[in-house]
Amino acid sequence: MDRELNNLIEQEATRQRDGLEMIPSENYVSRDVLAALGSILTNKYSEGYPGKRYYGGCEFVDGIENLARERAQALFGVTHANVQPYSGSPANLAVCFALLQPGETLMGMQLASGGHMTHGLAVNFSGIYYHSVQYTARADGYLDLDEMRALAKAHRPKLIIVGGTAYPRVYEWAKYKEIADEVGAYLMADISHIAGLVVGGVHPSPVGIADVITTTTHKTLRGPRGAMILCDGEPSNFLKAPPEQSRQYLPTMIDRAIIPGLQGGPHNHQTAAIAVALHEAAQPEFKTYAAQIVANAQALAIALMERGYTLVTGGTDNHLMVVDLTNKGITGKQAEKALDAAGITVNKNTVPRDPRKPFDPSGIRLGTPALTSRGMKEAEMTQIAEWIDDTLSHRDDADRLEAIKREIADFTRGFPLPA
Ligand SMILES: Cc1ncc(COP(=O)(O)O)c(C=O)c1O
């Protein structure tokens, strides 16, 4: 009935179908995930947790939340999963709220080095309400473990956060844990970007190493927008404060941080869609999908480097890469705009030690999860590198960009969307 809105959704659907979606934090969900997300479950209030709710009529949503929790626990191999965080940022806020008093020290990865705002950026809650210490990547883009250890010893943070939004290499969880243990800090692994790679077996898991794990559910995990907090410890009883703040009671500390600490009613439609995505991620095909994401990223990285592009760290181990465009005489903002005009969606991104500002940085970030969900493989990545190069080399030629856009729209017809 709402034509105005429907037109906009239709246009967005066409954009998603006809273009190359290369933002590494995006993906295409299945029809089943969409169906759960668009279901009548959005009508229900259910503050609390299964079996302990502040509202009546929760018998079926209890079953749904239990299913999501059990699937998350089985898939990741943890004893406790909280599936209620509305999204990744609130999940990270909840961990800080559970573990730190205002003014206490946390240490996270600097945004320009590949970290996320919620890991201690000065203008984010994590940098305003807590004393934030930021570690950086070396000039070559790799995490600087020596600096991390020196900063930890100097500032003795209570929480160390590792896991970024633009880091193209493997996270060495045991090494970060060693540093955390040396100063008595909790280690939080934010695997938002790589959760699908972890369950697909193509990235080491932080389970059994990190004290707490947060993840969004909508990136490589290919679920709805949402998040989870995973940990081990005594079974949670969110109605009673734990006898002490310690690792043993993390499940209760986390659950109480979500509600009553930060949130009200869980989004049951989102929880159901997370349960669907977790079921899909537990299938053998998902392992093939995860391996193909990485193979595609590596093929794309090689094809770009062959065309003279500089990649932060000189390549990738995961689903994303950061291209430093300085040698091409183009800024990240200009590149993003030109690629948009050609039907290639990317985002501008800072590079380590970027002399430019985040709103007009030196690089772009590219990823392969969404393209891989369409069934594209290594050969298509080489073709895409060619289009990227063609676009950036002719960025002021509107006719050329329009022609590339048409070619890409034709090409994408061979790779239908999952839903
Ligand atoms: C590493 C990391 N953590 C947290 C988030 C925040 O997730 P959301 O955008 O759902 O709040 C993101 C999102 O990009 C992320 O990359």
Side-chain angles (χ1 to χ4, degrees), residues 72 232 264 289 326 351:
D232 287 308
Y289 167 63
T326 311
V351 300

Side-chain angles (χ1 to χ4, degrees), residues 87-90 92 116 119 163-165 190 192-193 216 218-219:
S87 212
S89 303
N92 289 350
H116 189 257
H119 298 182
T165 192
D190 179 346
S192 290
H193 261 262
T216 52
H218 47 275
K219 300 187 172 101

Side-chain angles (χ1 to χ4, degrees), residues 54-77:
Y54 293 97
Y55 286 79
C58 289
E59 58 271 40
F60 303 114
V61 293
D62 273 7
I64 289 165
E65 187 168 340
N66 275 331
L67 205 54
R69 296 203 295 195
E70 285 157 16
R71 286 178 180 175
Q73 286 159 202
L75 193 61
F76 286 90

Side-chain angles (χ1 to χ4, degrees), residues 171-190:
Y171 294 101
E172 302 175 286
W173 304 118
K175 292 190 179 162
Y176 317 138
K177 177 65 172 166
E178 203 179 289
I179 295 174
D181 284 347
E182 282 171 27
V183 298
Y186 287 103
L187 176 66
M188 178 184 120
D190 179 346

Side-chain angles (χ1 to χ4, degrees), residues 37-255:
L37 201 58
S39 71
I40 47 81
L41 294 169
T42 194
N43 297 337
K44 185 73 195 104
Y45 244 110
S46 56
E47 277 182 16
Y49 291 99
K52 293 179 183 132
R53 304 283 192 184
Y54 293 97
Y55 286 79
C58 289
E59 58 271 40
F60 303 114
V61 293
D62 273 7
I64 289 165
E65 187 168 340
N66 275 331
L67 205 54
R69 296 203 295 195
E70 285 157 16
R71 286 178 180 175
Q73 286 159 202
L75 193 61
F76 286 90
V78 292
T79 62
H80 186 70
N82 187 310
V83 297
Q84 292 194 8
Y86 298 143
S87 212
S89 303
N92 289 350
L93 172 57
V95 173
C96 292
F97 192 66
L99 302 183
L100 304 172
Q101 294 300 314
E104 287 189 325
T105 303
L106 64 75
M107 187 168 100
M109 203 199 306
Q110 180 204 38
L111 190 73
S113 298
H116 189 257
M117 296 178 293
T118 53
H119 298 182
L121 183 71
V123 291
N124 184 263
F125 80 88
S126 54
I128 294 173
Y129 289 114
Y130 306 105
H131 173 234
S132 162
V133 177
Q134 298 273 275
Y135 58 86
T136 60
R138 299 187 309 229
D140 65 4
Y142 280 85
L143 278 180
D144 187 343
L145 283 165
D146 294 337
E147 183 201 43
M148 198 192 275
R149 175 171 274 108
L151 286 172
K153 289 202 162 148
H155 297 278
R156 308 202 70 84
K158 197 168 172 192
L159 172 66
I160 297 179
I161 303 175
V162 183
T165 192
Y167 188 65
R169 294 297 178 180
V170 164
Y171 294 101
E172 302 175 286
W173 304 118
K175 292 190 179 162
Y176 317 138
K177 177 65 172 166
E178 203 179 289
I179 295 174
D181 284 347
E182 282 171 27
V183 298
Y186 287 103
L187 176 66
M188 178 184 120
D190 179 346
I191 60 166
S192 290
H193 261 262
I194 55 165
L197 306 185
V198 168
V199 301
V202 291
H203 188 290
S205 170
V207 172
I209 302 173
D211 299 295
V212 192
I213 298 165
T214 59
T215 181
T216 52
T217 45
H218 47 275
K219 300 187 172 101
T220 49
L221 200 56
R222 213 160 59 179
R225 310 198 81 76
M228 305 189 292
I229 306 175
L230 312 170
C231 60
D232 287 308
E234 298 278 320
S236 168
N237 178 6
F238 93 106
L239 293 175
K240 265 178 63 184
E244 60 182 30
Q245 300 277 307
S246 69
R247 282 183 176 76
Q248 188 183 352
Y249 296 110
L250 274 170
T252 305
M253 288 155 65
I254 296 296
D255 283 1

